[in-house]
Short mmCIF file of all heavy atoms in Angstrom, two decimals:
data_model
loop_
_atom_site.label_atom_id
_atom_site.label_comp_id
_atom_site.label_asym_id
_atom_site.label_seq_id
_atom_site.Cartn_x
_atom_site.Cartn_y
_atom_site.Cartn_z
N ALA A 1 -89.25 26.03 -108.12
CA ALA A 1 -90.52 26.34 -108.70
C ALA A 1 -90.36 27.05 -110.12
O ALA A 1 -89.61 28.04 -110.20
CB ALA A 1 -91.38 27.26 -107.84
N SER A 2 -91.03 26.59 -111.08
CA SER A 2 -91.05 27.24 -112.36
C SER A 2 -91.77 28.64 -112.30
O SER A 2 -92.38 28.93 -111.31
CB SER A 2 -91.80 26.35 -113.42
OG SER A 2 -93.16 26.33 -113.10
N LEU A 3 -91.55 29.37 -113.38
CA LEU A 3 -92.26 30.68 -113.47
C LEU A 3 -93.79 30.44 -113.26
O LEU A 3 -94.54 31.19 -112.69
CB LEU A 3 -92.05 31.32 -114.85
CG LEU A 3 -90.57 31.89 -115.06
CD1 LEU A 3 -90.46 32.16 -116.52
CD2 LEU A 3 -90.34 33.11 -114.16
N THR A 4 -94.29 29.33 -113.87
CA THR A 4 -95.63 29.00 -113.86
C THR A 4 -96.10 28.56 -112.42
O THR A 4 -97.22 28.93 -112.08
CB THR A 4 -95.88 27.74 -114.84
OG1 THR A 4 -95.23 28.04 -116.05
CG2 THR A 4 -97.35 27.47 -115.06
N ALA A 5 -95.25 27.83 -111.72
CA ALA A 5 -95.70 27.29 -110.37
C ALA A 5 -95.46 28.32 -109.27
O ALA A 5 -96.09 28.20 -108.26
CB ALA A 5 -94.93 26.04 -110.11
N ARG A 6 -94.61 29.33 -109.49
CA ARG A 6 -94.33 30.31 -108.39
C ARG A 6 -95.60 30.80 -107.67
O ARG A 6 -95.65 30.84 -106.46
CB ARG A 6 -93.35 31.39 -108.94
CG ARG A 6 -93.08 32.44 -107.83
CD ARG A 6 -92.21 33.54 -108.25
NE ARG A 6 -92.10 34.49 -107.31
CZ ARG A 6 -91.30 35.68 -107.42
NH1 ARG A 6 -90.67 35.83 -108.48
NH2 ARG A 6 -91.32 36.55 -106.46
N PRO A 7 -96.54 31.34 -108.44
CA PRO A 7 -97.67 31.92 -107.76
C PRO A 7 -98.44 30.92 -106.85
O PRO A 7 -98.92 31.30 -105.76
CB PRO A 7 -98.58 32.50 -108.86
CG PRO A 7 -97.57 32.60 -110.07
CD PRO A 7 -96.57 31.61 -109.87
N PHE A 8 -98.54 29.67 -107.32
CA PHE A 8 -99.19 28.63 -106.44
C PHE A 8 -98.46 28.51 -105.19
O PHE A 8 -99.05 28.56 -104.11
CB PHE A 8 -99.27 27.37 -107.25
CG PHE A 8 -99.60 26.16 -106.40
CD1 PHE A 8 -100.94 25.94 -106.05
CD2 PHE A 8 -98.68 25.27 -105.88
CE1 PHE A 8 -101.31 24.88 -105.22
CE2 PHE A 8 -98.97 24.23 -105.03
CZ PHE A 8 -100.30 23.98 -104.67
N PHE A 9 -97.12 28.29 -105.28
CA PHE A 9 -96.37 28.04 -104.08
C PHE A 9 -96.41 29.34 -103.16
O PHE A 9 -96.52 29.16 -101.89
CB PHE A 9 -94.93 27.67 -104.38
CG PHE A 9 -94.80 26.30 -104.91
CD1 PHE A 9 -94.53 25.93 -106.19
CD2 PHE A 9 -95.02 25.23 -103.96
CE1 PHE A 9 -94.47 24.62 -106.62
CE2 PHE A 9 -94.90 23.90 -104.35
CZ PHE A 9 -94.63 23.58 -105.67
N GLU A 10 -96.43 30.50 -103.73
CA GLU A 10 -96.48 31.70 -102.86
C GLU A 10 -97.82 31.70 -102.11
O GLU A 10 -97.89 32.06 -100.91
CB GLU A 10 -96.36 32.99 -103.68
CG GLU A 10 -94.97 33.16 -104.09
CD GLU A 10 -94.72 34.42 -104.98
OE1 GLU A 10 -95.62 34.74 -105.74
OE2 GLU A 10 -93.61 35.03 -104.89
N ARG A 11 -98.86 31.36 -102.80
CA ARG A 11 -100.20 31.29 -102.13
C ARG A 11 -100.28 30.26 -100.95
O ARG A 11 -101.03 30.37 -100.05
CB ARG A 11 -101.35 31.02 -103.13
CG ARG A 11 -101.69 32.07 -104.02
CD ARG A 11 -102.95 31.82 -104.85
NE ARG A 11 -102.97 30.63 -105.55
CZ ARG A 11 -102.51 30.44 -106.87
NH1 ARG A 11 -101.99 31.52 -107.48
NH2 ARG A 11 -102.51 29.31 -107.48
N LYS A 12 -99.40 29.26 -101.09
CA LYS A 12 -99.37 28.18 -100.09
C LYS A 12 -98.29 28.46 -98.98
O LYS A 12 -97.94 27.54 -98.23
CB LYS A 12 -99.04 26.84 -100.75
CG LYS A 12 -100.18 26.48 -101.77
CD LYS A 12 -101.46 26.19 -100.99
CE LYS A 12 -102.65 25.76 -101.98
NZ LYS A 12 -103.83 25.55 -101.21
N GLY A 13 -97.75 29.66 -98.96
CA GLY A 13 -96.89 30.02 -97.85
C GLY A 13 -95.39 29.84 -98.11
O GLY A 13 -94.56 30.02 -97.26
N PHE A 14 -94.96 29.56 -99.32
CA PHE A 14 -93.65 29.46 -99.67
C PHE A 14 -93.04 30.88 -99.91
O PHE A 14 -93.73 31.76 -100.44
CB PHE A 14 -93.37 28.61 -100.97
CG PHE A 14 -93.45 27.10 -100.69
CD1 PHE A 14 -94.65 26.54 -100.54
CD2 PHE A 14 -92.34 26.35 -100.81
CE1 PHE A 14 -94.79 25.20 -100.33
CE2 PHE A 14 -92.43 24.93 -100.67
CZ PHE A 14 -93.68 24.37 -100.43
N VAL A 15 -91.84 31.04 -99.75
CA VAL A 15 -91.12 32.32 -100.04
C VAL A 15 -89.92 32.01 -100.91
O VAL A 15 -89.30 30.98 -100.87
CB VAL A 15 -90.60 32.99 -98.69
CG1 VAL A 15 -91.77 33.44 -97.89
CG2 VAL A 15 -89.66 32.17 -97.89
N VAL A 16 -89.63 32.99 -101.80
CA VAL A 16 -88.47 32.88 -102.69
C VAL A 16 -87.16 33.04 -101.94
O VAL A 16 -87.03 34.09 -101.24
CB VAL A 16 -88.64 33.88 -103.84
CG1 VAL A 16 -87.31 33.88 -104.67
CG2 VAL A 16 -89.87 33.65 -104.70
N VAL A 17 -86.21 32.16 -102.07
CA VAL A 17 -85.02 32.22 -101.41
C VAL A 17 -84.01 32.85 -102.44
O VAL A 17 -83.19 33.59 -102.12
CB VAL A 17 -84.47 30.81 -101.01
CG1 VAL A 17 -83.09 30.86 -100.51
CG2 VAL A 17 -85.49 30.25 -99.95
N ALA A 18 -84.17 32.40 -103.81
CA ALA A 18 -83.30 32.91 -104.78
C ALA A 18 -83.93 32.70 -106.12
O ALA A 18 -84.53 31.63 -106.37
CB ALA A 18 -81.94 32.21 -104.70
N ALA A 19 -83.72 33.58 -107.04
CA ALA A 19 -84.10 33.34 -108.40
C ALA A 19 -82.90 32.63 -109.03
O ALA A 19 -81.75 32.85 -108.65
CB ALA A 19 -84.23 34.75 -109.17
N GLN A 20 -83.15 31.76 -109.93
CA GLN A 20 -82.20 30.84 -110.51
C GLN A 20 -82.29 30.82 -111.99
O GLN A 20 -83.31 31.02 -112.54
CB GLN A 20 -82.32 29.39 -109.94
CG GLN A 20 -82.28 29.27 -108.43
CD GLN A 20 -82.27 27.88 -107.97
OE1 GLN A 20 -81.48 27.46 -107.17
NE2 GLN A 20 -83.19 27.10 -108.47
N ARG A 21 -81.15 30.47 -112.57
CA ARG A 21 -81.11 30.20 -113.98
C ARG A 21 -80.46 28.84 -114.14
O ARG A 21 -79.32 28.69 -113.74
CB ARG A 21 -80.39 31.32 -114.80
CG ARG A 21 -81.18 32.64 -114.63
CD ARG A 21 -80.50 33.82 -115.40
NE ARG A 21 -80.13 33.64 -116.69
CZ ARG A 21 -80.93 33.64 -117.76
NH1 ARG A 21 -82.27 33.78 -117.59
NH2 ARG A 21 -80.49 33.57 -119.03
N VAL A 22 -81.22 27.83 -114.66
CA VAL A 22 -80.80 26.50 -114.75
C VAL A 22 -80.58 26.11 -116.20
O VAL A 22 -81.40 26.47 -117.06
CB VAL A 22 -81.63 25.57 -113.99
CG1 VAL A 22 -81.60 25.87 -112.52
CG2 VAL A 22 -83.05 25.54 -114.49
N GLU A 23 -79.57 25.27 -116.47
CA GLU A 23 -79.33 24.79 -117.84
C GLU A 23 -80.06 23.45 -118.05
O GLU A 23 -79.95 22.50 -117.31
CB GLU A 23 -77.92 24.66 -118.08
CG GLU A 23 -77.52 24.43 -119.59
CD GLU A 23 -77.48 22.86 -119.96
OE1 GLU A 23 -77.16 22.09 -119.12
OE2 GLU A 23 -77.71 22.62 -121.08
N LYS A 24 -80.80 23.30 -119.13
CA LYS A 24 -81.49 22.03 -119.54
C LYS A 24 -81.20 21.89 -120.98
O LYS A 24 -81.62 22.66 -121.82
CB LYS A 24 -82.94 22.13 -119.33
CG LYS A 24 -83.35 22.22 -117.91
CD LYS A 24 -83.78 20.89 -117.40
CE LYS A 24 -84.43 21.01 -115.95
NZ LYS A 24 -84.13 19.89 -115.18
N ARG A 25 -80.38 20.95 -121.29
CA ARG A 25 -80.07 20.54 -122.74
C ARG A 25 -79.80 21.74 -123.58
O ARG A 25 -80.32 21.96 -124.68
CB ARG A 25 -81.33 19.79 -123.40
CG ARG A 25 -81.49 18.48 -122.63
CD ARG A 25 -82.74 17.67 -123.20
NE ARG A 25 -83.03 16.52 -122.45
CZ ARG A 25 -83.82 16.50 -121.42
NH1 ARG A 25 -84.42 17.46 -120.95
NH2 ARG A 25 -83.97 15.26 -120.76
N GLY A 26 -78.87 22.59 -123.05
CA GLY A 26 -78.49 23.80 -123.89
C GLY A 26 -79.24 25.09 -123.75
O GLY A 26 -78.87 26.11 -124.27
N GLN A 27 -80.39 24.95 -123.08
CA GLN A 27 -81.29 26.14 -122.87
C GLN A 27 -81.11 26.54 -121.42
O GLN A 27 -81.00 25.74 -120.49
CB GLN A 27 -82.72 25.86 -123.08
CG GLN A 27 -83.07 25.45 -124.56
CD GLN A 27 -82.89 26.73 -125.41
OE1 GLN A 27 -83.42 27.85 -125.02
NE2 GLN A 27 -82.26 26.62 -126.54
N ILE A 28 -81.24 27.88 -121.19
CA ILE A 28 -81.23 28.44 -119.75
C ILE A 28 -82.65 28.80 -119.43
O ILE A 28 -83.25 29.65 -120.08
CB ILE A 28 -80.31 29.70 -119.66
CG1 ILE A 28 -78.90 29.39 -120.22
CG2 ILE A 28 -80.27 30.20 -118.27
CD1 ILE A 28 -78.15 28.34 -119.45
#
């Protein structure tokens, strides 16, 4: 989940397993 989507998923019963940093075209 993106930073934007995290609150939605939390409201729907999802829990954070890990914070991640992913690379997309040279950006983290």
Side-chain angles (χ1 to χ4, degrees):
S2 66
L3 294 166
T4 311
R6 177 183 173 176
F8 167 81
F9 283 109
E10 287 178 329
R11 287 191 304 273
K12 297 298 182 179
F14 283 72
V15 295
V16 173
V17 175
Q20 303 183 132
R21 295 176 55 74
V22 296
E23 190 272 333
K24 293 263 189 211
R25 298 179 183 89
Q27 291 292 313
I28 304 297

